[in-house]
């Protein structure tokens, strides 16, 4: 099992800020405008900062009608032209998981600035004028703008349903990490993650789900641990990654 680039990805102050944004985040599909100039420059800075091997973010601008596909019963995204393209170089190992981590970090940063966001995998490739390098692919767009709607009901599985043993018997850091994963967004709200705890190790595994969903969950798992020092290692097969707590705290 090798170490994950998520280790050391964020400075302590950033971790604290992003963790505080987790309960405030929800998907926003109705916007009342683009981010203002200072918001945009902060987003550009964050997008350039949140990159991991094989994954990067690029801000773009376009007409929402040309960018996003429409589905029955899902409100169309409207009211903002700004988005971030979540890009992966498919030849780099774990690039798609890294892309999920980077995109979710940008979303939580945007929430901490008072902006709304929505992950969108159902986008129209031709609507997003983003230059790609050889081997790269846009995995998703993230709509970004001034939120024009309140959060809807919080629809998630119970914590017990995503944990393989009773999380109330786990140490607090592992319980908090699992709760933070539970709050993560996922495509079609599938919540494809499962967590198991043993010794000092919290394991994240996948039940279907897209690599983006699992990268997002990995970021949430790491943030949820709070200040507890830890190392994340890649797993094998259905086990995506393990978070091993260090005994220093
Ligand atoms: C990888 C990913 C892809 C998504 N794609 C879309 C999409 O194409 N269209 C859309 O309206 N919402 C999309 N969503 C938003 C999810 O439907 C939403 O996160 C989920 O229903 C949970 O709701 P919440 O984000 O408000 O907590 C996507 C979310 C993720 C994580």
């Amino acid at each position: 099992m090798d170490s994950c680039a998520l280790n050391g990805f964020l400075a302590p102050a950033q971790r604290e800020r992003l963790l505080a944004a987790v309960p405030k985040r929800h998907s926003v599909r109705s916007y009342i405008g683009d981010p203002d100039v200072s918001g945009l420059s902060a987003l550009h800075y964050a997008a350039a900062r949140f990159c991991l091997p094989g994954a990067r973010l690029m801000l773009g601008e376009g007409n929402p009608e040309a960018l996003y596909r429409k589905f029955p019963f899902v409100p169309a995204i409207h009211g903002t032209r700004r988005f971030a393209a979540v890009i992966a170089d498919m030849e780099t190992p774990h690039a798609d998981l890294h892309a999920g981590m980077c995109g979710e970090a940008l979303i939580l940063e945007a929430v901490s600035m008072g902006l709304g966001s929505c992950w969108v995998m159902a986008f129209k490739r031709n609507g997003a004028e983003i230059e790609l390098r050889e081997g790269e692919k846009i995995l998703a767009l993230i709509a970004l703008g001034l939120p024009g709607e309140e959060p809807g009901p919080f629809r998630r599985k119970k914590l017990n349903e995503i944990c393989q043993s009773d999380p109330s018997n786990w140490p607090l850091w592992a319980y908090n990490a699992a709760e933070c994963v539970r709050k993560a967004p996922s495509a079609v709200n599938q919540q494809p993650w499962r967590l198991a705890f043993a010794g000092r190790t919290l394991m994240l595994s996948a039940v279907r789900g897209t690599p983006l969903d699992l990268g997002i969950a990995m970021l949430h798992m790491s943030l949820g641990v709070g200040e507890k020092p830890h190392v994340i290692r890649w797993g094998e097969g259905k086990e995506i990654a393990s978070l091993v707590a260090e005994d220093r705290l």
Side-chain angles (χ1 to χ4, degrees), residues 213-229:
D213 292 331
L214 299 166
I216 294 168
M218 282 176 70
L219 182 77
H220 276 241
M221 178 168 77
S222 173
L223 291 176
V225 166
E227 290 174 15
K228 180 90 182 160

Side-chain angles (χ1 to χ4, degrees), residues 25-27 29 74 118-122 156 185-189 210 212-213 216:
R25 188 215 58 82
H26 63 101
S27 291
R29 297 183 178 84
V74 183
C118 188
W119 278 99
V120 185
M121 277 179 84
R156 289 296 187 277
S186 56
V188 210
N189 205 18
T210 71
L212 286 178
D213 292 331
I216 294 168

Side-chain angles (χ1 to χ4, degrees), residues 39 104 136 207 225:
E104 184 67 1
E136 282 186 337
V207 199
V225 166

Side-chain angles (χ1 to χ4, degrees), residues 19 170-181 220-221 223-226:
L19 177 61
W170 298 359
L172 189 60
W173 65 263
Y175 180 96
N176 287 342
E179 184 56 40
C180 198
V181 170
H220 276 241
M221 178 168 77
L223 291 176
V225 166

Side-chain angles (χ1 to χ4, degrees), residues 52-56 86-96 98-99 132-139:
L52 285 169
R56 67 186 179 102
V86 181
I87 301 168
D89 171 357
M90 302 311 282
E91 280 167 25
T92 305
H94 307 300
D96 42 10
H98 288 161
L132 297 180
R133 302 175 195 141
E134 209 183 314
E136 282 186 337
K137 208 174 145 186
I138 302 182
L139 301 186

